[in-house]
Amino acid sequence: MSIQSKSDLRKTLRMARREHVAAQPESIKALLFLRPPGALLERISENASIGLYHAGDAEAPAASYARFFHEQSRTIALPRFASRTSPMTFAQHTDPILGSDLEVAPFGVLQPGEDAAEIIPDVLFVPLIGFTEDGDRLGQGGGHYDRWLAEHPGRLAIGLAWDVQLCESLPIEPHDITLDAVITPTRSYGL
């Protein structure tokens, strides 16, 4: 894809992502993103805490990764917002199987309740709208992940995406954080 404004590119990529996901049979979708690739697991220490997200709007699903790491006795965290204008933090997600510890967040997605312990994950799986082979990322536009990663340097940042979200290039700004790797159903970039 050629470079467009971020706003126009988001619209184009959101539509392509929705169409791609809608075209996938449920039996195929159930087989995707079940377990992180071995090359990635080799880069994650045994005691690393894992930050994930609760997928929405045709985002690449992260729930199976949460269950996988939970079964490995890892500490799991999800983004949490006190309000729509507050900074993103991460809080412990203790029930990735049933989600009984989650409540509706100000942005409409599910997040750990306010009594959940705040966690600073060592590894962060990041949702995205578009990405390049080099790890450039186009997010939702709020800058939450870029700010969080800038405030917590040294974290391993991994994007989860559908193959259709790959872009030749993206309009990158100085505050945009490059991902260490991106995982799609058919390929891993940066590993």
PDB file of all heavy atoms in Angstrom, residues 7-46:
ATOM      1  N   SER A   7      -5.256   8.848   9.029  1.00  0.00           N
ATOM      2  CA  SER A   7      -6.707   8.718   9.149  1.00  0.00           C
ATOM      3  C   SER A   7      -7.284   7.917   7.985  1.00  0.00           C
ATOM      4  O   SER A   7      -8.071   6.987   8.180  1.00  0.00           O
ATOM      5  CB  SER A   7      -7.353  10.103   9.219  1.00  0.00           C
ATOM      6  OG  SER A   7      -8.743   9.982   9.274  1.00  0.00           O
ATOM      7  N   ASP A   8      -6.896   8.274   6.744  1.00  0.00           N
ATOM      8  CA  ASP A   8      -7.386   7.547   5.571  1.00  0.00           C
ATOM      9  C   ASP A   8      -6.897   6.109   5.568  1.00  0.00           C
ATOM     10  O   ASP A   8      -7.639   5.182   5.222  1.00  0.00           O
ATOM     11  CB  ASP A   8      -6.943   8.247   4.280  1.00  0.00           C
ATOM     12  CG  ASP A   8      -7.652   9.568   4.047  1.00  0.00           C
ATOM     13  OD1 ASP A   8      -8.712   9.802   4.676  1.00  0.00           O
ATOM     14  OD2 ASP A   8      -7.138  10.372   3.244  1.00  0.00           O
ATOM     15  N   LEU A   9      -5.654   5.929   5.960  1.00  0.00           N
ATOM     16  CA  LEU A   9      -5.081   4.584   5.999  1.00  0.00           C
ATOM     17  C   LEU A   9      -5.806   3.718   7.030  1.00  0.00           C
ATOM     18  O   LEU A   9      -6.088   2.547   6.772  1.00  0.00           O
ATOM     19  CB  LEU A   9      -3.584   4.681   6.318  1.00  0.00           C
ATOM     20  CG  LEU A   9      -2.752   3.428   6.137  1.00  0.00           C
ATOM     21  CD1 LEU A   9      -2.938   2.821   4.753  1.00  0.00           C
ATOM     22  CD2 LEU A   9      -1.278   3.759   6.365  1.00  0.00           C
ATOM     23  N   ARG A  10      -6.128   4.279   8.171  1.00  0.00           N
ATOM     24  CA  ARG A  10      -6.880   3.530   9.188  1.00  0.00           C
ATOM     25  C   ARG A  10      -8.225   3.060   8.631  1.00  0.00           C
ATOM     26  O   ARG A  10      -8.625   1.919   8.833  1.00  0.00           O
ATOM     27  CB  ARG A  10      -7.097   4.375  10.437  1.00  0.00           C
ATOM     28  CG  ARG A  10      -5.902   4.454  11.336  1.00  0.00           C
ATOM     29  CD  ARG A  10      -6.204   5.162  12.654  1.00  0.00           C
ATOM     30  NE  ARG A  10      -4.994   5.266  13.419  1.00  0.00           N
ATOM     31  CZ  ARG A  10      -4.212   6.355  13.459  1.00  0.00           C
ATOM     32  NH1 ARG A  10      -4.569   7.444  12.801  1.00  0.00           N
ATOM     33  NH2 ARG A  10      -3.102   6.350  14.169  1.00  0.00           N
ATOM     34  N   LYS A  11      -8.941   3.942   7.945  1.00  0.00           N
ATOM     35  CA  LYS A  11     -10.239   3.569   7.365  1.00  0.00           C
ATOM     36  C   LYS A  11     -10.075   2.424   6.370  1.00  0.00           C
ATOM     37  O   LYS A  11     -10.827   1.443   6.394  1.00  0.00           O
ATOM     38  CB  LYS A  11     -10.876   4.773   6.667  1.00  0.00           C
ATOM     39  CG  LYS A  11     -11.382   5.832   7.613  1.00  0.00           C
ATOM     40  CD  LYS A  11     -11.923   7.030   6.849  1.00  0.00           C
ATOM     41  CE  LYS A  11     -12.212   8.188   7.792  1.00  0.00           C
ATOM     42  NZ  LYS A  11     -12.521   9.425   7.082  1.00  0.00           N
ATOM     43  N   THR A  12      -9.098   2.548   5.486  1.00  0.00           N
ATOM     44  CA  THR A  12      -8.854   1.518   4.465  1.00  0.00           C
ATOM     45  C   THR A  12      -8.492   0.184   5.105  1.00  0.00           C
ATOM     46  O   THR A  12      -9.038  -0.865   4.739  1.00  0.00           O
ATOM     47  CB  THR A  12      -7.722   1.970   3.520  1.00  0.00           C
ATOM     48  OG1 THR A  12      -8.099   3.199   2.901  1.00  0.00           O
ATOM     49  CG2 THR A  12      -7.440   0.935   2.458  1.00  0.00           C
ATOM     50  N   LEU A  13      -7.579   0.234   6.068  1.00  0.00           N
ATOM     51  CA  LEU A  13      -7.121  -1.002   6.700  1.00  0.00           C
ATOM     52  C   LEU A  13      -8.184  -1.625   7.593  1.00  0.00           C
ATOM     53  O   LEU A  13      -8.291  -2.853   7.670  1.00  0.00           O
ATOM     54  CB  LEU A  13      -5.837  -0.745   7.487  1.00  0.00           C
ATOM     55  CG  LEU A  13      -4.597  -0.505   6.621  1.00  0.00           C
ATOM     56  CD1 LEU A  13      -3.438  -0.008   7.473  1.00  0.00           C
ATOM     57  CD2 LEU A  13      -4.211  -1.765   5.863  1.00  0.00           C
ATOM     58  N   ARG A  14      -8.977  -0.813   8.270  1.00  0.00           N
ATOM     59  CA  ARG A  14     -10.077  -1.369   9.083  1.00  0.00           C
ATOM     60  C   ARG A  14     -11.064  -2.116   8.201  1.00  0.00           C
ATOM     61  O   ARG A  14     -11.540  -3.201   8.552  1.00  0.00           O
ATOM     62  CB  ARG A  14     -10.797  -0.258   9.845  1.00  0.00           C
ATOM     63  CG  ARG A  14     -10.098   0.173  11.107  1.00  0.00           C
ATOM     64  CD  ARG A  14     -10.941   1.183  11.877  1.00  0.00           C
ATOM     65  NE  ARG A  14     -10.244   1.639  13.049  1.00  0.00           N
ATOM     66  CZ  ARG A  14      -9.865   2.893  13.258  1.00  0.00           C
ATOM     67  NH1 ARG A  14     -10.141   3.841  12.369  1.00  0.00           N
ATOM     68  NH2 ARG A  14      -9.220   3.220  14.353  1.00  0.00           N
ATOM     69  N   MET A  15     -11.406  -1.538   7.050  1.00  0.00           N
ATOM     70  CA  MET A  15     -12.342  -2.194   6.142  1.00  0.00           C
ATOM     71  C   MET A  15     -11.743  -3.494   5.611  1.00  0.00           C
ATOM     72  O   MET A  15     -12.414  -4.527   5.585  1.00  0.00           O
ATOM     73  CB  MET A  15     -12.716  -1.273   4.976  1.00  0.00           C
ATOM     74  CG  MET A  15     -13.759  -1.913   4.069  1.00  0.00           C
ATOM     75  SD  MET A  15     -14.497  -0.835   2.822  1.00  0.00           S
ATOM     76  CE  MET A  15     -13.164   0.162   2.257  1.00  0.00           C
ATOM     77  N   ALA A  16     -10.477  -3.470   5.210  1.00  0.00           N
ATOM     78  CA  ALA A  16      -9.822  -4.687   4.706  1.00  0.00           C
ATOM     79  C   ALA A  16      -9.773  -5.757   5.796  1.00  0.00           C
ATOM     80  O   ALA A  16     -10.008  -6.939   5.528  1.00  0.00           O
ATOM     81  CB  ALA A  16      -8.411  -4.353   4.216  1.00  0.00           C
ATOM     82  N   ARG A  17      -9.485  -5.344   7.032  1.00  0.00           N
ATOM     83  CA  ARG A  17      -9.424  -6.295   8.144  1.00  0.00           C
ATOM     84  C   ARG A  17     -10.793  -6.912   8.403  1.00  0.00           C
ATOM     85  O   ARG A  17     -10.914  -8.129   8.555  1.00  0.00           O
ATOM     86  CB  ARG A  17      -8.902  -5.571   9.389  1.00  0.00           C
ATOM     87  CG  ARG A  17      -8.782  -6.441  10.619  1.00  0.00           C
ATOM     88  CD  ARG A  17      -8.186  -5.693  11.784  1.00  0.00           C
ATOM     89  NE  ARG A  17      -9.118  -4.688  12.293  1.00  0.00           N
ATOM     90  CZ  ARG A  17      -8.830  -3.873  13.300  1.00  0.00           C
ATOM     91  NH1 ARG A  17      -7.648  -3.920  13.892  1.00  0.00           N
ATOM     92  NH2 ARG A  17      -9.723  -3.008  13.718  1.00  0.00           N
ATOM     93  N   ARG A  18     -11.858  -6.073   8.459  1.00  0.00           N
ATOM     94  CA  ARG A  18     -13.219  -6.595   8.683  1.00  0.00           C
ATOM     95  C   ARG A  18     -13.613  -7.588   7.596  1.00  0.00           C
ATOM     96  O   ARG A  18     -14.169  -8.652   7.872  1.00  0.00           O
ATOM     97  CB  ARG A  18     -14.228  -5.454   8.727  1.00  0.00           C
ATOM     98  CG  ARG A  18     -14.365  -4.784  10.068  1.00  0.00           C
ATOM     99  CD  ARG A  18     -15.581  -3.866  10.136  1.00  0.00           C
ATOM    100  NE  ARG A  18     -15.615  -2.851   9.091  1.00  0.00           N
ATOM    101  CZ  ARG A  18     -15.024  -1.664   9.161  1.00  0.00           C
ATOM    102  NH1 ARG A  18     -14.345  -1.330  10.227  1.00  0.00           N
ATOM    103  NH2 ARG A  18     -15.113  -0.809   8.168  1.00  0.00           N
ATOM    104  N   GLU A  19     -13.356  -7.232   6.332  1.00  0.00           N
ATOM    105  CA  GLU A  19     -13.703  -8.118   5.217  1.00  0.00           C
ATOM    106  C   GLU A  19     -12.917  -9.424   5.287  1.00  0.00           C
ATOM    107  O   GLU A  19     -13.464 -10.499   5.038  1.00  0.00           O
ATOM    108  CB  GLU A  19     -13.459  -7.404   3.887  1.00  0.00           C
ATOM    109  CG  GLU A  19     -14.448  -6.285   3.616  1.00  0.00           C
ATOM    110  CD  GLU A  19     -14.090  -5.446   2.395  1.00  0.00           C
ATOM    111  OE1 GLU A  19     -13.037  -5.684   1.765  1.00  0.00           O
ATOM    112  OE2 GLU A  19     -14.878  -4.526   2.073  1.00  0.00           O
ATOM    113  N   HIS A  20     -11.641  -9.325   5.623  1.00  0.00           N
ATOM    114  CA  HIS A  20     -10.795 -10.522   5.728  1.00  0.00           C
ATOM    115  C   HIS A  20     -11.307 -11.463   6.817  1.00  0.00           C
ATOM    116  O   HIS A  20     -11.461 -12.664   6.593  1.00  0.00           O
ATOM    117  CB  HIS A  20      -9.346 -10.108   6.007  1.00  0.00           C
ATOM    118  CG  HIS A  20      -8.428 -11.261   6.231  1.00  0.00           C
ATOM    119  ND1 HIS A  20      -7.938 -12.019   5.200  1.00  0.00           N
ATOM    120  CD2 HIS A  20      -7.928 -11.786   7.379  1.00  0.00           C
ATOM    121  CE1 HIS A  20      -7.163 -12.972   5.701  1.00  0.00           C
ATOM    122  NE2 HIS A  20      -7.142 -12.846   7.017  1.00  0.00           N
ATOM    123  N   VAL A  21     -11.582 -10.904   7.987  1.00  0.00           N
ATOM    124  CA  VAL A  21     -12.040 -11.725   9.103  1.00  0.00           C
ATOM    125  C   VAL A  21     -13.420 -12.308   8.800  1.00  0.00           C
ATOM    126  O   VAL A  21     -13.679 -13.475   9.079  1.00  0.00           O
ATOM    127  CB  VAL A  21     -12.038 -10.914  10.415  1.00  0.00           C
ATOM    128  CG1 VAL A  21     -12.704 -11.682  11.540  1.00  0.00           C
ATOM    129  CG2 VAL A  21     -10.604 -10.551  10.796  1.00  0.00           C
ATOM    130  N   ALA A  22     -14.305 -11.529   8.207  1.00  0.00           N
ATOM    131  CA  ALA A  22     -15.649 -12.015   7.876  1.00  0.00           C
ATOM    132  C   ALA A  22     -15.601 -13.163   6.871  1.00  0.00           C
ATOM    133  O   ALA A  22     -16.472 -14.045   6.895  1.00  0.00           O
ATOM    134  CB  ALA A  22     -16.505 -10.875   7.329  1.00  0.00           C
ATOM    135  N   ALA A  23     -14.599 -13.177   6.016  1.00  0.00           N
ATOM    136  CA  ALA A  23     -14.483 -14.215   4.995  1.00  0.00           C
ATOM    137  C   ALA A  23     -13.892 -15.528   5.533  1.00  0.00           C
ATOM    138  O   ALA A  23     -13.969 -16.558   4.861  1.00  0.00           O
ATOM    139  CB  ALA A  23     -13.629 -13.717   3.831  1.00  0.00           C
ATOM    140  N   GLN A  24     -13.342 -15.487   6.752  1.00  0.00           N
ATOM    141  CA  GLN A  24     -12.734 -16.694   7.322  1.00  0.00           C
ATOM    142  C   GLN A  24     -13.797 -17.605   7.923  1.00  0.00           C
ATOM    143  O   GLN A  24     -14.598 -17.166   8.743  1.00  0.00           O
ATOM    144  CB  GLN A  24     -11.736 -16.319   8.429  1.00  0.00           C
ATOM    145  CG  GLN A  24     -10.605 -15.441   8.001  1.00  0.00           C
ATOM    146  CD  GLN A  24      -9.742 -16.088   6.955  1.00  0.00           C
ATOM    147  OE1 GLN A  24      -9.366 -17.256   7.073  1.00  0.00           O
ATOM    148  NE2 GLN A  24      -9.430 -15.359   5.914  1.00  0.00           N
ATOM    149  N   PRO A  25     -13.806 -18.871   7.534  1.00  0.00           N
ATOM    150  CA  PRO A  25     -14.744 -19.800   8.177  1.00  0.00           C
ATOM    151  C   PRO A  25     -14.421 -19.914   9.673  1.00  0.00           C
ATOM    152  O   PRO A  25     -13.252 -19.842  10.071  1.00  0.00           O
ATOM    153  CB  PRO A  25     -14.477 -21.133   7.462  1.00  0.00           C
ATOM    154  CG  PRO A  25     -13.723 -20.781   6.226  1.00  0.00           C
ATOM    155  CD  PRO A  25     -13.011 -19.501   6.497  1.00  0.00           C
ATOM    156  N   GLU A  26     -15.443 -20.100  10.491  1.00  0.00           N
ATOM    157  CA  GLU A  26     -15.244 -20.233  11.945  1.00  0.00           C
ATOM    158  C   GLU A  26     -14.272 -21.353  12.268  1.00  0.00           C
ATOM    159  O   GLU A  26     -13.479 -21.245  13.205  1.00  0.00           O
ATOM    160  CB  GLU A  26     -16.580 -20.446  12.660  1.00  0.00           C
ATOM    161  CG  GLU A  26     -17.458 -19.210  12.704  1.00  0.00           C
ATOM    162  CD  GLU A  26     -16.797 -18.018  13.378  1.00  0.00           C
ATOM    163  OE1 GLU A  26     -16.167 -18.174  14.446  1.00  0.00           O
ATOM    164  OE2 GLU A  26     -16.924 -16.906  12.834  1.00  0.00           O
ATOM    165  N   SER A  27     -14.319 -22.450  11.500  1.00  0.00           N
ATOM    166  CA  SER A  27     -13.429 -23.577  11.766  1.00  0.00           C
ATOM    167  C   SER A  27     -11.962 -23.193  11.566  1.00  0.00           C
ATOM    168  O   SER A  27     -11.084 -23.689  12.262  1.00  0.00           O
ATOM    169  CB  SER A  27     -13.786 -24.767  10.875  1.00  0.00           C
ATOM    170  OG  SER A  27     -13.688 -24.394   9.506  1.00  0.00           O
ATOM    171  N   ILE A  28     -11.685 -22.285  10.649  1.00  0.00           N
ATOM    172  CA  ILE A  28     -10.316 -21.813  10.422  1.00  0.00           C
ATOM    173  C   ILE A  28      -9.931 -20.816  11.503  1.00  0.00           C
ATOM    174  O   ILE A  28      -8.844 -20.892  12.073  1.00  0.00           O
ATOM    175  CB  ILE A  28     -10.175 -21.169   9.020  1.00  0.00           C
ATOM    176  CG1 ILE A  28     -10.434 -22.203   7.927  1.00  0.00           C
ATOM    177  CG2 ILE A  28      -8.819 -20.509   8.852  1.00  0.00           C
ATOM    178  CD1 ILE A  28      -9.463 -23.356   7.899  1.00  0.00           C
ATOM    179  N   LYS A  29     -10.810 -19.872  11.813  1.00  0.00           N
ATOM    180  CA  LYS A  29     -10.506 -18.861  12.840  1.00  0.00           C
ATOM    181  C   LYS A  29     -10.168 -19.521  14.179  1.00  0.00           C
ATOM    182  O   LYS A  29      -9.331 -19.031  14.915  1.00  0.00           O
ATOM    183  CB  LYS A  29     -11.674 -17.883  13.009  1.00  0.00           C
ATOM    184  CG  LYS A  29     -11.750 -16.848  11.907  1.00  0.00           C
ATOM    185  CD  LYS A  29     -12.671 -15.714  12.278  1.00  0.00           C
ATOM    186  CE  LYS A  29     -14.092 -16.023  11.936  1.00  0.00           C
ATOM    187  NZ  LYS A  29     -14.999 -14.879  12.067  1.00  0.00           N
ATOM    188  N   ALA A  30     -10.831 -20.647  14.471  1.00  0.00           N
ATOM    189  CA  ALA A  30     -10.598 -21.330  15.742  1.00  0.00           C
ATOM    190  C   ALA A  30      -9.188 -21.909  15.832  1.00  0.00           C
ATOM    191  O   ALA A  30      -8.693 -22.181  16.925  1.00  0.00           O
ATOM    192  CB  ALA A  30     -11.629 -22.435  15.932  1.00  0.00           C
ATOM    193  N   LEU A  31      -8.538 -22.096  14.695  1.00  0.00           N
ATOM    194  CA  LEU A  31      -7.192 -22.694  14.671  1.00  0.00           C
ATOM    195  C   LEU A  31      -6.071 -21.659  14.677  1.00  0.00           C
ATOM    196  O   LEU A  31      -4.903 -22.012  14.803  1.00  0.00           O
ATOM    197  CB  LEU A  31      -7.040 -23.577  13.429  1.00  0.00           C
ATOM    198  CG  LEU A  31      -7.987 -24.761  13.336  1.00  0.00           C
ATOM    199  CD1 LEU A  31      -7.834 -25.458  11.991  1.00  0.00           C
ATOM    200  CD2 LEU A  31      -7.742 -25.727  14.481  1.00  0.00           C
ATOM    201  N   LEU A  32      -6.408 -20.381  14.564  1.00  0.00           N
ATOM    202  CA  LEU A  32      -5.391 -19.347  14.428  1.00  0.00           C
ATOM    203  C   LEU A  32      -5.036 -18.728  15.782  1.00  0.00           C
ATOM    204  O   LEU A  32      -5.875 -18.646  16.672  1.00  0.00           O
ATOM    205  CB  LEU A  32      -5.889 -18.263  13.471  1.00  0.00           C
ATOM    206  CG  LEU A  32      -6.283 -18.755  12.076  1.00  0.00           C
ATOM    207  CD1 LEU A  32      -6.863 -17.615  11.254  1.00  0.00           C
ATOM    208  CD2 LEU A  32      -5.105 -19.393  11.370  1.00  0.00           C
ATOM    209  N   PHE A  33      -3.800 -18.316  15.917  1.00  0.00           N
ATOM    210  CA  PHE A  33      -3.305 -17.647  17.128  1.00  0.00           C
ATOM    211  C   PHE A  33      -3.535 -18.497  18.387  1.00  0.00           C
ATOM    212  O   PHE A  33      -3.868 -17.970  19.436  1.00  0.00           O
ATOM    213  CB  PHE A  33      -3.951 -16.264  17.303  1.00  0.00           C
ATOM    214  CG  PHE A  33      -3.653 -15.310  16.177  1.00  0.00           C
ATOM    215  CD1 PHE A  33      -4.611 -15.030  15.219  1.00  0.00           C
ATOM    216  CD2 PHE A  33      -2.423 -14.673  16.080  1.00  0.00           C
ATOM    217  CE1 PHE A  33      -4.349 -14.149  14.184  1.00  0.00           C
ATOM    218  CE2 PHE A  33      -2.145 -13.786  15.048  1.00  0.00           C
ATOM    219  CZ  PHE A  33      -3.116 -13.524  14.099  1.00  0.00           C
ATOM    220  N   LEU A  34      -3.341 -19.816  18.274  1.00  0.00           N
ATOM    221  CA  LEU A  34      -3.538 -20.691  19.433  1.00  0.00           C
ATOM    222  C   LEU A  34      -2.357 -20.654  20.386  1.00  0.00           C
ATOM    223  O   LEU A  34      -2.527 -20.737  21.596  1.00  0.00           O
ATOM    224  CB  LEU A  34      -3.748 -22.138  18.977  1.00  0.00           C
ATOM    225  CG  LEU A  34      -5.084 -22.458  18.344  1.00  0.00           C
ATOM    226  CD1 LEU A  34      -5.140 -23.914  17.920  1.00  0.00           C
ATOM    227  CD2 LEU A  34      -6.217 -22.146  19.305  1.00  0.00           C
ATOM    228  N   ARG A  35      -1.166 -20.557  19.828  1.00  0.00           N
ATOM    229  CA  ARG A  35       0.061 -20.660  20.626  1.00  0.00           C
ATOM    230  C   ARG A  35       1.127 -19.788  19.971  1.00  0.00           C
ATOM    231  O   ARG A  35       1.269 -19.792  18.755  1.00  0.00           O
ATOM    232  CB  ARG A  35       0.469 -22.122  20.627  1.00  0.00           C
ATOM    233  CG  ARG A  35       1.783 -22.434  21.206  1.00  0.00           C
ATOM    234  CD  ARG A  35       2.120 -23.918  20.967  1.00  0.00           C
ATOM    235  NE  ARG A  35       3.541 -24.115  21.067  1.00  0.00           N
ATOM    236  CZ  ARG A  35       4.177 -24.437  22.182  1.00  0.00           C
ATOM    237  NH1 ARG A  35       3.500 -24.622  23.283  1.00  0.00           N
ATOM    238  NH2 ARG A  35       5.470 -24.588  22.197  1.00  0.00           N
ATOM    239  N   PRO A  36       1.897 -19.062  20.771  1.00  0.00           N
ATOM    240  CA  PRO A  36       2.976 -18.251  20.192  1.00  0.00           C
ATOM    241  C   PRO A  36       3.998 -19.141  19.485  1.00  0.00           C
ATOM    242  O   PRO A  36       4.243 -20.270  19.917  1.00  0.00           O
ATOM    243  CB  PRO A  36       3.613 -17.568  21.410  1.00  0.00           C
ATOM    244  CG  PRO A  36       2.579 -17.648  22.484  1.00  0.00           C
ATOM    245  CD  PRO A  36       1.788 -18.891  22.213  1.00  0.00           C
ATOM    246  N   PRO A  37       4.602 -18.647  18.405  1.00  0.00           N
ATOM    247  CA  PRO A  37       5.602 -19.451  17.704  1.00  0.00           C
ATOM    248  C   PRO A  37       6.823 -19.737  18.586  1.00  0.00           C
ATOM    249  O   PRO A  37       7.189 -18.931  19.458  1.00  0.00           O
ATOM    250  CB  PRO A  37       5.998 -18.590  16.501  1.00  0.00           C
ATOM    251  CG  PRO A  37       5.273 -17.307  16.623  1.00  0.00           C
ATOM    252  CD  PRO A  37       4.362 -17.368  17.786  1.00  0.00           C
ATOM    253  N   GLY A  38       7.454 -20.878  18.350  1.00  0.00           N
ATOM    254  CA  GLY A  38       8.612 -21.299  19.133  1.00  0.00           C
ATOM    255  C   GLY A  38       9.737 -20.272  19.154  1.00  0.00           C
ATOM    256  O   GLY A  38      10.368 -20.055  20.194  1.00  0.00           O
ATOM    257  N   ALA A  39       9.997 -19.625  18.017  1.00  0.00           N
ATOM    258  CA  ALA A  39      11.069 -18.626  17.960  1.00  0.00           C
ATOM    259  C   ALA A  39      10.790 -17.462  18.905  1.00  0.00           C
ATOM    260  O   ALA A  39      11.722 -16.889  19.481  1.00  0.00           O
ATOM    261  CB  ALA A  39      11.243 -18.115  16.529  1.00  0.00           C
ATOM    262  N   LEU A  40       9.534 -17.115  19.086  1.00  0.00           N
ATOM    263  CA  LEU A  40       9.186 -16.053  20.023  1.00  0.00           C
ATOM    264  C   LEU A  40       9.323 -16.543  21.460  1.00  0.00           C
ATOM    265  O   LEU A  40       9.872 -15.840  22.312  1.00  0.00           O
ATOM    266  CB  LEU A  40       7.763 -15.550  19.775  1.00  0.00           C
ATOM    267  CG  LEU A  40       7.245 -14.520  20.774  1.00  0.00           C
ATOM    268  CD1 LEU A  40       8.139 -13.284  20.790  1.00  0.00           C
ATOM    269  CD2 LEU A  40       5.824 -14.145  20.452  1.00  0.00           C
ATOM    270  N   LEU A  41       8.862 -17.761  21.736  1.00  0.00           N
ATOM    271  CA  LEU A  41       8.946 -18.296  23.088  1.00  0.00           C
ATOM    272  C   LEU A  41      10.393 -18.367  23.558  1.00  0.00           C
ATOM    273  O   LEU A  41      10.665 -18.181  24.748  1.00  0.00           O
ATOM    274  CB  LEU A  41       8.270 -19.664  23.158  1.00  0.00           C
ATOM    275  CG  LEU A  41       6.757 -19.647  22.963  1.00  0.00           C
ATOM    276  CD1 LEU A  41       6.209 -21.064  22.924  1.00  0.00           C
ATOM    277  CD2 LEU A  41       6.078 -18.834  24.042  1.00  0.00           C
ATOM    278  N   GLU A  42      11.317 -18.605  22.642  1.00  0.00           N
ATOM    279  CA  GLU A  42      12.742 -18.635  22.991  1.00  0.00           C
ATOM    280  C   GLU A  42      13.240 -17.281  23.475  1.00  0.00           C
ATOM    281  O   GLU A  42      14.220 -17.207  24.214  1.00  0.00           O
ATOM    282  CB  GLU A  42      13.574 -19.100  21.799  1.00  0.00           C
ATOM    283  CG  GLU A  42      13.360 -20.552  21.448  1.00  0.00           C
ATOM    284  CD  GLU A  42      14.043 -20.965  20.152  1.00  0.00           C
ATOM    285  OE1 GLU A  42      14.834 -20.168  19.589  1.00  0.00           O
ATOM    286  OE2 GLU A  42      13.780 -22.090  19.702  1.00  0.00           O
ATOM    287  N   ARG A  43      12.588 -16.200  23.084  1.00  0.00           N
ATOM    288  CA  ARG A  43      12.993 -14.847  23.477  1.00  0.00           C
ATOM    289  C   ARG A  43      12.330 -14.366  24.772  1.00  0.00           C
ATOM    290  O   ARG A  43      12.645 -13.299  25.266  1.00  0.00           O
ATOM    291  CB  ARG A  43      12.655 -13.853  22.360  1.00  0.00           C
ATOM    292  CG  ARG A  43      13.483 -14.075  21.109  1.00  0.00           C
ATOM    293  CD  ARG A  43      13.177 -13.086  20.025  1.00  0.00           C
ATOM    294  NE  ARG A  43      13.512 -11.720  20.423  1.00  0.00           N
ATOM    295  CZ  ARG A  43      13.317 -10.664  19.648  1.00  0.00           C
ATOM    296  NH1 ARG A  43      12.804 -10.816  18.443  1.00  0.00           N
ATOM    297  NH2 ARG A  43      13.622  -9.452  20.075  1.00  0.00           N
ATOM    298  N   ILE A  44      11.412 -15.157  25.318  1.00  0.00           N
ATOM    299  CA  ILE A  44      10.674 -14.766  26.512  1.00  0.00           C
ATOM    300  C   ILE A  44      11.187 -15.571  27.705  1.00  0.00           C
ATOM    301  O   ILE A  44      11.111 -16.796  27.698  1.00  0.00           O
ATOM    302  CB  ILE A  44       9.159 -14.995  26.318  1.00  0.00           C
ATOM    303  CG1 ILE A  44       8.643 -14.163  25.138  1.00  0.00           C
ATOM    304  CG2 ILE A  44       8.396 -14.665  27.592  1.00  0.00           C
ATOM    305  CD1 ILE A  44       7.197 -14.434  24.782  1.00  0.00           C
ATOM    306  N   SER A  45      11.699 -14.881  28.718  1.00  0.00           N
ATOM    307  CA  SER A  45      12.220 -15.583  29.892  1.00  0.00           C
ATOM    308  C   SER A  45      11.079 -16.279  30.645  1.00  0.00           C
ATOM    309  O   SER A  45       9.919 -15.887  30.542  1.00  0.00           O
ATOM    310  CB  SER A  45      12.965 -14.620  30.815  1.00  0.00           C
ATOM    311  OG  SER A  45      12.062 -13.753  31.449  1.00  0.00           O
ATOM    312  N   GLU A  46      11.449 -17.294  31.402  1.00  0.00           N
ATOM    313  CA  GLU A  46      10.456 -18.112  32.100  1.00  0.00           C
ATOM    314  C   GLU A  46       9.653 -17.337  33.126  1.00  0.00           C
ATOM    315  O   GLU A  46       8.523 -17.696  33.432  1.00  0.00           O
ATOM    316  CB  GLU A  46      11.144 -19.292  32.787  1.00  0.00           C
ATOM    317  CG  GLU A  46      11.617 -20.345  31.830  1.00  0.00           C
ATOM    318  CD  GLU A  46      12.227 -21.533  32.549  1.00  0.00           C
ATOM    319  OE1 GLU A  46      11.865 -21.798  33.717  1.00  0.00           O
ATOM    320  OE2 GLU A  46      13.060 -22.201  31.936  1.00  0.00           O
TER     321      GLU A  46
END
